[in-house]
Amino acid sequence: CFYFTNSIYSLYATQSHLMYTNLYDMDNICYICVYLKESFMSIPITIISGFLGAGKTTFLQQILKYHSDLSRILIIENDFGQVNFDTQLLGTTGVNIRELTSGCICCSLQGDFKTALLQTLDQLDVDAIYIETSGVGKLSDILSACESPEITAIAHVQAAITIIDATNAPLFIRNFGEFFKDQVAHGDALFLTHQELPEQVELTINLLRELNPSAPIHTEDWADINVLEYITESLQPTVYSEETCHCDHHHEHNHECCHEHHSAHHHGHSADHVFSTFSFTDIAPRSEEQWANYFKDLPSTILRAKGVLPTDTGNVEIQHGLNYTNITPTELSTIGLTVIGTDIHQAELANELCHQ
């Protein structure tokens, strides 16, 4: 260890921006070895979090543009439904994808997550791991799952990014605070989407700053940032204290929390106790205009709908949220629609959507 440490000192000094260190100090040697293990042997994990419809998949697609070899990238897709539309979208890029559906990576699915990740890494040699969380998942739960000894032996969390719908953030904080606040409070960086209303953006930024005073808030166009370089080189993990962490958890420690002491958190409600999700596949075709009108008239209890729908001129991709409906032509062939919300009437939706 000592001779190996001496041989890489110049690299360590450059990467750490250190002018001098005494390599003959055993504390420094151990510190350098820990640095080497995490930087050169351990696989970096980036977590992309955010509430329903915020734009997590779009952000992940932006990151993938900067990777030269997508065959060495692993994406874990955790969706709250039987049909994972995001896997279809990302599957066209050539990355390795593993799905965890029908729940969130929380207490009940942490074992499944660890098993899936470890089995995948036993079969694949990858350079980076990205976890796209369920929109109704708690970021603290995913961070906790990644801290298990089995995973930390081979990988480490490099960054946790939270994507935020600036238009609907105040509503989501008010109605779904347990989930939304957790995602914000544990983010190392916050990226805003849906910024059409300046006054709403200002209100959202003020609310976010209360929940997470330390994390940088980004309002710029993602196309203006090399997001991969930002995550790997510029972003520093946020350090939270008892005074600044607003994630509605009880802390048993008076020093650094959130990223270091997730096991002390109360998990509160699980997503399946608050939200409902239904997936439909036997969908009858309509024109694009008819689909647009249909989604325009959906009740506000349906917070998110996404998938591939048939029309008389070909398939279309649907992205629906509280204040938007985007319909675009697509080459994706698997028909399906996932709906997430509260107080959803499955039989009524099936009657409206599916072949009779």
Side-chain angles (χ1 to χ4, degrees), residues 5 9 23 37 44 60 68 76 87 91 123 126 152 170 178 206 214 216 250 261 270 327-328 330-331:
T5 301
Y9 166 64
L23 285 173
K37 178 178 182 287
L60 184 50
S68 57
I76 303 292
T87 297
Q123 300 166 0
V126 300
T152 57
E178 181 179 350
N206 291 334
S214 303
H250 166 71
H261 303 290
S270 62
I327 301 176
T328 55
T330 182
E331 297 297 322

Side-chain angles (χ1 to χ4, degrees), residues 129-261:
I129 301 168
Y130 293 94
I131 301 173
E132 182 179 358
T133 71
S134 163
V136 294
K138 295 180 181 178
L139 179 51
S140 61
D141 286 336
I142 288 85
L143 287 165
S144 178
C146 292
E147 290 172 359
S148 71
E150 300 93 333
I151 292 179
T152 57
I154 56 176
H156 67 280
V157 175
Q158 174 177 252
I161 305 296
T162 301
I163 314 300
I164 293 149
D165 178 343
T167 297
N168 290 308
L171 174 66
F172 291 154
I173 290 174
R174 186 165 61 249
N175 294 341
F176 308 107
E178 181 179 350
F179 302 90
F180 191 92
K181 290 179 180 180
D182 184 276
Q183 295 170 359
V184 172
H186 292 83
D188 295 318
L190 314 177
F191 284 81
L192 302 193
T193 60
H194 303 291
Q195 302 180 63
E196 295 81 8
L197 304 174
E199 292 183 359
Q200 197 75 350
V201 172
E202 183 178 358
L203 173 61
T204 292
I205 290 175
N206 291 334
L207 292 171
L208 298 180
R209 188 52 67 221
E210 292 179 6
L211 295 169
N212 190 336
S214 303
I217 298 175
H218 294 275
T219 59
E220 64 269 48
D221 193 317
W222 297 345
D224 297 333
I225 313 172
N226 183 326
V227 287
L228 177 60
E229 183 179 279
Y230 172 77
I231 291 171
T232 57
E233 298 182 15
S234 302
L235 181 62
Q236 297 297 320
T238 304
V239 176
Y240 296 92
S241 67
E242 182 76 20
E243 290 75 23
T244 60
C245 183
H246 298 269
C247 54
D248 291 344
H249 293 307
H250 166 71
H251 299 281
E252 296 180 356
H253 302 269
N254 294 321
H255 46 287
E256 295 177 8
C257 67
C258 293
H259 281 88
E260 298 295 331
H261 303 290

Side-chain angles (χ1 to χ4, degrees), residues 24 33 49 66 74 80 90 95 128 152 179 183 211 261 266 275 323 350:
Y24 296 92
C33 289
S49 176
Y66 295 98
L74 172 63
F80 190 65
L90 295 169
V95 297
T152 57
F179 302 90
Q183 295 170 359
L211 295 169
H261 303 290
H266 295 308
F275 304 95
N323 296 311

